[in-house]
Amino acid sequence: MPAASTRTALTVLGTVGAVGAGAAIWGIGIERYLFTVRFHEVPVLPAGAAPIRVLHLSDAHMAPWQHRKQRWIAALAELQPDLIVNTGDNMGHDDGLRGLRAAFDPLRGIPGLFVHGSNDHASPSPRNPFKYFLGPSKAEPTWEPLDTQALDRYLTDELGWLDLNNRTGSVDAGGLRIGAFGVSDAHRGWDRLEVLPDLVAGLRASEPDVMLGVTHAPYRRVLDDFVDLGADAIFAGHTHGGQVRVPGFGALVANCDIPLKQARGLSEWTHLGHAVPLNVSAGLGHSIYAPVRFACRPEASLLTLIPRRGQQHP
């Protein structure tokens, strides 16, 4: 190879290497700490209803030493939400509950709903990130179980949040009766959609003002059934928004079968001609074995539910 060509090739390789190193430094050392709140208005309430503020939290993947993340979540209480929706994967370490207490304790007294992700049951493990390009990840043949019962006692008994894992229920929030139904982690096949129709029929008999569907993993089968069951809005997590996104393109993977363009943020899920607002949180954390986020800041969402168009509160 001529000397000039060699120099050009080395320059290109050096530039690519420098860009890659810079991206890694940004994603590992900076962006994963750039927590942000995304604000949305969602017109789903009946006429005459006053707006309510819903704080959507997901995928904290909490480890006890993650004090910066704990302080940031704790400060979300200043947003004065009327309702909290937690879409799972709270734990990122076998002592993660200690960190969750520091993060969630300021939210005591605020009504809440939650479902599980797999990392509410099992500790994370090292994975080859390139396998995510082959399709949704598989369950590990062996895993280290977490103390899910202790987590649930904290969420239900201490915080007063409603467990929606393959269940239904209702809470009072912001002067409204909120009906809700949910499933456990569909990514692991723990969803029992078949039990929901009868439960939701019973829930509707109590005449809630609005119905919310809650899932960890936004698989199409779950979203379709939630629309059929009459959800006015759907909340999900799991995708991490792709975790690493390409600017101008978006997510490369979602780790489920949702379209990549809907792997983060507020969109609409349409089934049989009926469109329902869907908020997929990009989440607050990451696995301790993949401490990076790029073009995908860790986030919480504050959704203000308002009356449907033409039915605004006076």
Side-chain angles (χ1 to χ4, degrees):
M1 180 182 295
S5 298
T6 300
R7 285 195 299 272
T8 300
L10 291 174
T11 299
V12 170
L13 289 173
T15 301
V16 170
V19 170
I25 291 170
W26 174 263
I28 295 172
I30 299 174
E31 185 167 337
R32 68 186 177 113
Y33 299 116
L34 296 181
F35 302 101
T36 190
V37 180
R38 297 188 183 276
F39 296 88
H40 304 284
E41 282 193 348
V42 186
V44 296
L45 298 183
I52 64 171
R53 293 155 66 86
V54 180
L55 179 62
H56 182 188
L57 305 175
S58 197
D59 297 87
H61 292 281
M62 188 65 73
W65 60 80
Q66 294 172 335
H67 301 297
R68 197 180 316 191
K69 179 164 60 180
Q70 293 159 23
R71 290 192 297 269
W72 190 85
I73 296 172
L76 293 173
E78 297 172 5
L79 295 174
Q80 298 182 320
D82 300 296
L83 177 70
I84 295 167
V85 176
N86 181 311
T87 46
D89 268 6
N90 292 285
M91 303 278 275
H93 184 272
D94 59 5
D95 195 22
L97 183 54
R98 179 156 56 94
L100 288 175
R101 287 181 178 276
F104 290 169
D105 271 2
L107 302 174
R108 287 175 184 267
I110 303 172
L113 317 168
F114 74 91
V115 293
H116 288 153
S118 63
N119 283 135
D120 295 313
H121 289 266
S123 293
S125 58
R127 293 176 181 269
N128 180 348
F130 293 102
K131 287 187 176 181
Y132 287 99
F133 290 98
L134 302 178
S137 60
K138 307 297 183 183
E140 294 296 315
T142 60
W143 64 10
E144 291 296 325
L146 296 170
D147 192 346
T148 306
Q149 290 184 341
L151 171 65
D152 286 355
R153 284 195 299 270
Y154 172 63
L155 296 178
T156 58
D157 298 345
E158 297 188 40
L159 296 183
W161 295 356
L162 181 65
D163 182 346
L164 290 179
N165 287 289
N166 302 314
R167 298 178 182 179
T168 64
S170 59
V171 297
D172 293 317
L176 298 178
R177 191 67 172 169
I178 311 296
F181 53 87
V183 290
S184 190
D185 190 3
H187 187 63
R188 293 290 176 247
W190 297 340
D191 54 306
R192 294 189 58 204
L193 290 164
E194 71 278 4
V195 308
L196 289 183
D198 289 343
L199 295 175
V200 170
L203 179 62
R204 285 201 174 278
S206 67
E207 299 184 347
D209 295 297
V210 65
M211 292 280 280
L212 306 182
V214 184
T215 181
H216 175 65
Y219 276 84
R220 293 171 185 255
R221 67 177 186 274
V222 175
L223 303 180
D224 287 348
D225 274 18
F226 278 16
V227 172
D228 291 345
L229 289 167
D232 294 303
I234 302 173
F235 295 79
H238 175 69
T239 65
H240 294 203
Q243 190 159 330
V244 172
R245 297 170 67 93
V246 175
F249 178 83
L252 299 175
V253 296
N255 203 21
C256 63
D257 63 359
I258 194 172
L260 291 178
K261 66 181 181 180
Q262 292 180 276
R264 182 182 75 177
L266 182 66
S267 64
E268 286 189 334
W269 188 258
T270 301
H271 180 56
L272 299 179
H274 191 167
V276 173
L278 165 66
N279 193 65
V280 178
S281 173
L284 290 155
H286 48 73
S287 168
I288 58 176
Y289 298 105
V292 60
R293 295 185 75 114
F294 186 81
C296 188
R297 292 171 64 172
E299 67 177 47
S301 303
L302 188 72
L303 297 95
T304 301
L305 307 189
I306 61 175
R308 292 182 178 88
R309 304 303 182 192
Q311 301 181 354
Q312 302 299 317
H313 182 67

